[in-house]
Amino acid sequence: MTTRARLRRQDLLTQPLLPRAALERIAADVVLLPAAASAAAAALLAALDPVIAAAPWRHMTTPGGARMSVAMTNCGQVGWVSDRRGYRYDAIDPDSGRAWPRMPEALRALATHAAATAGFDGFEPDACLVNRYAPGTRLSLHQDRNERDLAAPVVSVSLGLPAMFLFGGLRRADPSQRIALQSGDVVVWGGSQRLAFHGVMPLADGEHALTGPYRINLTFRKAL
């Protein structure tokens, strides 16, 4: 492990020891809800079991042909997919040829409540991207811009191992804030920051009581 990786891991381990507000404003239209999903974490993961059984984890490819390091699946009316044809939403799981599993009510209710708490009333997601991060995997800076309804916010729920979330500006070159996320933390953004670049730094090694050596991230969007 490099010195930089050790320092990043130490930051993530010490973060839970610091006092945290119930709601933290990262920027205009960007809110962190610390531990907002902690009490429901076990139930949320249990609700995902039938989703993963019906639509197992897979590593999608980018339009350029690169294999994505983060494993993923979807639930909801549509799912996010990536392949040689590009990034898009589709009602059909390309691996099974069947519709994506329905979004569990526990997940939908959490997303709607978190959005309202952050000031985005009336959010009803129709897509939930489920990402599984293993140690060393990362998500490069990107925008969520494949949705038809950009007026709706994005709700991101972190479960399991801690991660360092990057939140930048509307241009890729803009500086990014580093936000240490613990299991149960929820980030909501929309409005003026709906198309902000964001990503996840390489995940540090660890073991979590609920997810083992992984971080599970739920991203709720209004795609249609």
Side-chain angles (χ1 to χ4, degrees):
M1 182 183 293
T2 65
T3 300
R4 180 178 295 180
R6 284 196 298 270
L7 291 173
R8 186 169 66 246
R9 186 172 187 270
Q10 187 62 34
D11 286 345
L12 291 170
L13 291 175
T14 57
Q15 186 70 22
L17 304 177
L18 302 176
R20 308 176 82 196
L23 184 152
E24 300 176 14
R25 296 202 176 275
I26 298 170
D29 298 324
V30 187
V31 171
L32 169 64
L33 303 173
S38 291
L44 295 173
L45 291 167
L48 284 176
D49 287 341
V51 170
I52 297 165
W57 299 113
R58 76 285 308 269
H59 292 269
M60 295 188 183
T61 57
T62 67
R67 178 180 183 269
M68 294 183 175
S69 66
V70 176
M72 70 169 298
T73 187
N74 292 277
C75 60
Q77 186 177 345
V78 290
W80 185 87
V81 297
S82 174
D83 55 25
R84 289 283 191 176
R85 292 189 290 156
Y87 305 121
R88 64 193 182 280
Y89 286 95
D90 200 314
I92 301 300
D93 177 352
D95 282 11
S96 68
R98 300 189 299 268
W100 293 102
R102 294 182 60 184
M103 188 185 305
E105 174 58 23
L107 274 65
R108 187 207 64 79
L110 172 68
T112 298
H113 178 71
T117 302
F120 297 97
D121 292 322
F123 177 57
E124 288 294 339
D126 54 19
C128 176
L129 286 66
V130 187
N131 287 342
R132 185 185 69 185
Y133 292 78
T137 58
R138 61 188 288 270
L139 193 61
S140 59
L141 286 173
H142 66 283
Q143 295 171 301
D144 294 344
R145 59 183 312 144
N146 302 125
E147 299 75 33
R148 296 180 192 171
D149 186 358
L150 294 178
V154 175
V155 176
S156 178
V157 180
S158 189
L159 301 170
L161 289 180
M164 191 66 75
F165 183 58
L166 301 174
F167 199 88
L170 300 179
R171 300 176 303 170
R172 187 182 296 274
D174 289 340
S176 296
Q177 296 186 60
R178 294 187 179 189
I179 303 160
L181 296 180
Q182 304 297 323
S183 184
D185 286 354
V186 180
V187 182
V188 183
W189 67 92
S192 64
Q193 299 300 309
R194 175 59 179 78
L195 291 177
F197 280 87
H198 56 283
V200 178
M201 295 183 67
L203 194 72
D205 290 330
E207 187 79 17
H208 192 275
L210 292 178
T211 62
Y214 299 111
R215 171 182 182 252
I216 305 298
N217 190 80
L218 312 175
T219 304
F220 298 91
R221 302 174 185 160
K222 182 76 172 69
L224 301 180

